[in-house]
Amino acid sequence: FYMAATDPQVLALAAQITESREQDIPLLLLKLKGILSSPSLGCEESNKIKQDIYDYGLTQYCLLVLKRDHSQLRGAWATAAQLAEILSHCCVGLEVKEDPEEFYKKFLPSAVDSLLVLGKRLQARFIRAIKDKEKQDFLHWFQIVTDAICWLFGGHTQLAACVLQNDRFLQLLITDDVETAVIMMSVFHNILRIDSSVLLQVEEETLHSVLDELVYKLSSTTNPAVGSAATKLLLFMAKFCKQLVHLLTARYKGLKGLLCKQWTGKGFDRELNQLLDLLYLEQSNGKGEMQKQHQAACIIQAAWRGFQTRKRLKKLPQAVITLQRSFRAKREQELQHLTKQKEDEALKLQMQLQRQRAMRLFHERQLALLEVVHASQVNKYMEEMEDKSALTIQRFWRGYRARRIFHQQKQSLKEYKAAIIIQRAACKFLEKRRRRRPLSPWKEPKGLTDEQRLALQQKVDDYIKLHPASQMSEETSKELHMQAQAKLAQFLLRSRLDQRAAQRREALLAQVNTDVELLMNAPGLAETTEKDLGAFMSRSIPVATKARQTHNTMLQYARWPWWKKLGHEFMEDDVIPDDAINTELETLFIGGRK
């Protein structure tokens, strides 16, 4: 089959909106007005452009923008009113063939609801405005939005019932402002003119609320524009449905007297007389006093209901503001979470790319140096690079280990210094107190009396009788003496061995300190001579072999390609992996003698 080409203007606008920022989209959508109002378009071309606009999602963009906070848009309420007009023109004449249920049952009712919400906000701004220029602007934008609503349900007649049953339409109608009230009554009149049977489809409570508001406007104002619009609307409703005439006569019994006394000679006597004739025909000839009282009660009830409804509707904006505030806060949190997640992912990717780039640059630099260096000097150059790499690795490892040990001992060192300070203060305090205490004079011990001596001697004799001393032979005494002499000799021999071991430990510790000092004061590789090498040579073959194996292992790890080190890309630069270099500082050869 043959498919018509997409309009280039629509295609270019869709591409531009896709690549633009969110705050620039409303102003770009205003270009649809120029595309739709082109004088060279026929009926079929216009419908085709509307179909393209819907297929590329520009109509949905308009609806989404209308649901946002209009005060934050560029152009604010003027932009919102123009987008409402564009949305209604895009929907009228559009026949969706793919998924029509989505368009007719979800998209169009949502568009009507958004337009009514926009109209309610413009009406509130118009009422609160103080300057004449602001009131004229808001009234003009409100007229544009209401015209868009009329145009929308004029092209889709099934939306008339949707508009009339919407609670926001009743909120717009119930107002004390003259200009907006007249406009809303004209919108209601257009609804009835397009589909008069919509009155039979609405709920009884909604119909009563509408009639109560119209009767209240006739009874509470003297403005001819409001009275004319309300009278014409009631006349149109009464002509269409005879049941409404009976409802008006029974529910508002003082309506005829009100119309005759207050609205006669106001410039719309023809419509007023027709309405009165319909009401009088319905009313019976005999009217008693009870009917008059009932009529008065109905008017009072209508006024009270209107007052209560307006009072209840004044509280709705605060609830809407609270709901909007919570929704914006939640949306802001979600946006911040998504932004943070994207930043973390971008940072992680950037770090990975930087590591790969650095590794690649390192290998390229090595290849470039190998190209520059003569072939006979390659081995010497590689040995120098291996020596530098080994020294760098050892330097970083020793620094890291020293810092780690220092941090571990820092707290204990602090506690040790604090204990020394406390002990020093306590010793000083005790010394001062001991100096201040006077020395007591010498007192000779008291001697025992004769009675005490006799009693003490008696106790000693009794103890000796109860515990007689064991008799030991001379041979047993000699044997015990020999055992004591042997144990004494063993103790002296062991103490001599312990003293030698202590001297050996002190000598080894002094040797280690000398080797460390020698290594710290050693010159660099570039300044090393053959005489300096003798100080670092070891006569121990196992120690030299172990040092050579450790050095080769570190050089082999340094020469690994970058793809082998991907598992260690998140390690610190001064940390050597345990699986590559399985060595400790104790296994490395420091230098000096064995």
Side-chain angles (χ1 to χ4, degrees), residues 325-532:
R325 187 184 298 112
S326 61
F327 172 75
R328 294 190 189 110
K330 184 177 180 181
R331 185 177 60 183
E332 186 68 22
Q333 291 178 358
E334 293 178 354
L335 291 176
Q336 290 179 359
H337 178 70
L338 291 175
T339 304
K340 184 178 180 182
Q341 186 176 3
K342 291 180 180 179
E343 290 178 355
D344 294 341
E345 292 178 356
L347 180 61
K348 184 178 179 181
L349 181 60
Q350 187 177 5
M351 291 177 62
Q352 185 176 1
L353 291 176
Q354 287 179 357
R355 291 191 186 95
Q356 294 178 358
R357 192 179 297 111
M359 187 63 68
R360 190 181 299 110
L361 185 62
F362 172 74
H363 288 295
E364 290 177 357
R365 191 180 298 124
Q366 277 192 338
L367 292 175
L369 289 174
L370 289 176
E371 291 177 358
V372 173
V373 177
H374 194 268
S376 60
Q377 301 294 326
V378 170
N379 293 332
K380 183 178 179 181
Y381 173 75
M382 293 301 296
E383 291 177 358
E384 292 178 357
M385 291 300 295
E386 290 175 357
D387 293 339
K388 290 182 180 179
S389 301
L391 290 176
T392 303
I393 294 170
Q394 290 180 356
R395 183 173 66 254
F396 276 99
W397 167 249
R398 290 172 188 142
Y400 166 73
R401 184 171 182 179
R403 287 191 297 272
R404 185 175 63 181
I405 295 174
F406 174 75
H407 286 298
Q408 291 176 356
Q409 296 178 352
K410 188 175 182 180
Q411 185 65 25
S412 60
L413 182 62
K414 186 184 295 184
E415 294 176 357
Y416 177 73
K417 290 182 179 179
I420 291 175
I421 293 172
I422 295 172
Q423 289 177 358
R424 186 184 298 116
C427 292
K428 289 182 179 179
F429 171 75
L430 293 175
E431 182 68 21
K432 288 180 180 179
R433 193 171 66 175
R434 188 166 51 252
R435 290 177 180 177
R436 292 177 183 176
R437 184 184 302 170
L439 298 176
S440 59
W442 172 256
K443 294 182 180 180
E444 295 182 359
K446 294 181 179 181
L448 298 176
T449 61
D450 295 338
E451 296 178 355
Q452 291 176 350
R453 285 194 186 92
L454 291 174
L456 184 60
Q457 185 65 36
Q458 184 65 32
K459 289 182 180 179
V460 171
D461 295 339
D462 293 340
Y463 182 82
I464 291 173
K465 290 179 181 179
L466 292 174
H467 304 87
S470 59
Q471 297 295 330
M472 182 180 296
S473 61
E474 184 177 358
E475 295 178 357
T476 306
S477 178
K478 289 182 179 180
E479 185 179 358
L480 184 61
H481 179 71
M482 293 300 293
Q483 291 178 1
Q485 290 293 331
K487 290 184 178 180
L488 179 61
Q490 291 179 2
F491 171 75
L492 293 176
L493 181 61
R494 191 183 302 110
S495 63
R496 192 176 296 110
L497 294 176
D498 293 340
Q499 185 177 4
R500 290 179 181 177
Q503 292 176 357
R504 181 176 178 80
R505 283 196 298 269
E506 292 178 358
L508 289 176
L509 183 61
Q511 180 181 352
V512 170
N513 292 332
T514 304
D515 293 340
V516 171
E517 184 178 359
L518 180 63
L519 182 62
M520 295 299 292
N521 297 328
L525 291 178
E527 302 173 358
T528 304
T529 61
E530 294 182 357
K531 295 181 180 180
D532 297 329

Side-chain angles (χ1 to χ4, degrees), residues 210-403:
V210 172
L211 293 176
D212 291 343
E213 182 61 24
L214 294 177
V215 174
Y216 172 78
K217 292 184 185 301
L218 290 174
S219 62
S220 63
T221 184
T222 57
N223 191 290
V226 177
S228 175
T231 303
K232 292 178 181 179
L233 195 54
L234 288 175
L235 177 61
F236 190 87
M237 296 169 65
K239 284 183 178 181
F240 169 74
C241 185
K242 299 299 180 182
Q243 298 176 358
L244 289 179
V245 179
H246 177 70
L247 181 61
L248 290 172
T249 305
R251 188 175 177 86
Y252 313 104
K253 295 189 180 296
L255 182 59
K256 293 183 293 298
L258 176 66
L259 294 174
C260 293
K261 293 179 181 179
Q262 188 169 344
W263 297 105
T264 303
K266 296 292 185 179
F268 50 95
D269 292 341
R270 186 168 64 86
E271 292 82 6
L272 182 62
N273 292 332
Q274 292 178 7
L275 180 60
L276 288 173
D277 292 339
L278 292 175
L279 295 176
Y280 278 118
L281 288 175
E282 184 65 26
Q283 187 181 16
S284 59
N285 294 329
K287 261 190 178 181
E289 189 65 24
M290 292 295 296
Q291 293 178 344
K292 293 182 180 180
Q293 294 178 0
H294 184 68
Q295 182 181 6
C298 289
I299 295 175
I300 294 173
Q301 288 177 357
W304 173 253
R305 291 191 189 99
F307 170 74
Q308 286 292 99
T309 305
R310 283 188 296 274
K311 183 178 178 182
R312 187 168 59 253
L313 290 177
K314 285 181 180 179
K315 297 180 181 179
L316 289 179
Q318 186 64 30
V320 173
I321 291 172
T322 304
L323 181 62
Q324 289 178 347
R325 187 184 298 112
S326 61
F327 172 75
R328 294 190 189 110
K330 184 177 180 181
R331 185 177 60 183
E332 186 68 22
Q333 291 178 358
E334 293 178 354
L335 291 176
Q336 290 179 359
H337 178 70
L338 291 175
T339 304
K340 184 178 180 182
Q341 186 176 3
K342 291 180 180 179
E343 290 178 355
D344 294 341
E345 292 178 356
L347 180 61
K348 184 178 179 181
L349 181 60
Q350 187 177 5
M351 291 177 62
Q352 185 176 1
L353 291 176
Q354 287 179 357
R355 291 191 186 95
Q356 294 178 358
R357 192 179 297 111
M359 187 63 68
R360 190 181 299 110
L361 185 62
F362 172 74
H363 288 295
E364 290 177 357
R365 191 180 298 124
Q366 277 192 338
L367 292 175
L369 289 174
L370 289 176
E371 291 177 358
V372 173
V373 177
H374 194 268
S376 60
Q377 301 294 326
V378 170
N379 293 332
K380 183 178 179 181
Y381 173 75
M382 293 301 296
E383 291 177 358
E384 292 178 357
M385 291 300 295
E386 290 175 357
D387 293 339
K388 290 182 180 179
S389 301
L391 290 176
T392 303
I393 294 170
Q394 290 180 356
R395 183 173 66 254
F396 276 99
W397 167 249
R398 290 172 188 142
Y400 166 73
R401 184 171 182 179
R403 287 191 297 272

Side-chain angles (χ1 to χ4, degrees), residues 112 115-116 119-120 123 139 141-154 159-166 168-170 172-173 178-196 198-199 210 214 217 229-230 232-233 236-237:
V112 169
L115 293 178
L116 290 174
K120 180 60 181 175
Q123 186 186 52
L139 183 62
W141 297 330
F142 181 75
Q143 182 69 52
I144 292 176
V145 174
T146 53
D147 292 341
I149 295 173
C150 294
W151 183 263
L152 187 59
F153 65 69
L159 295 178
C162 179
V163 174
L164 191 59
Q165 292 175 358
N166 198 306
R168 293 183 177 85
F169 177 78
L170 185 60
L172 288 169
L173 185 63
V178 176
E179 290 85 351
T180 57
V182 172
I183 293 174
M184 289 311 301
M185 284 189 286
S186 65
V187 173
F188 189 22
H189 195 271
N190 291 332
I191 293 175
L192 297 179
R193 193 161 47 196
I194 291 173
D195 188 8
S196 302
V198 72
L199 292 174
V210 172
L214 294 177
K217 292 184 185 301
K232 292 178 181 179
L233 195 54
F236 190 87
M237 296 169 65

